Amino acid sequence: MTATHDPAAWLRARARQARRDEPTNHTRALVLEDAADAWERDVARDRAANKRARVQALRDAQHNLLAPPANEAECSP
């Protein structure tokens, strides 16, 4: 992802700029870095939730695919 598509990277770039602009007061930079960290945690949490949902869907499908047919009529075309 480029900085224009990655809000965390954009926030970190603004934090670096804030450190250059105010070398003795890093409050703004720290706030921006905390926001970038929070964004990355949210993205990681969303990805983990999506992964868990995909794994559960695959488990459910696997159970259905591996189950033998209930009767011979299901096997015949």
Side-chain angles (χ1 to χ4, degrees):
M1 266 188 190
T2 62
T4 57
H5 294 97
D6 184 4
W10 184 87
L11 288 165
R12 291 192 195 287
R14 298 295 72 77
R16 285 191 301 274
Q17 183 65 43
R19 285 186 189 279
R20 284 192 298 267
D21 292 346
E22 300 177 38
T24 59
N25 182 2
H26 296 294
T27 303
R28 183 169 174 249
L30 293 173
V31 169
L32 290 166
E33 289 168 352
D34 285 345
D37 291 344
W39 182 272
E40 288 173 340
R41 278 192 305 274
D42 289 347
V43 169
R45 189 178 303 119
D46 288 345
R47 286 180 181 160
N50 289 337
K51 184 177 180 180
R52 282 191 299 274
R54 285 192 310 271
V55 167
Q56 187 60 48
L58 288 172
R59 284 183 185 145
D60 294 344
Q62 182 182 20
H63 175 72
N64 293 335
L65 291 174
L66 296 178
N71 59 41
E72 288 294 320
E74 291 181 18
C75 295
S76 303

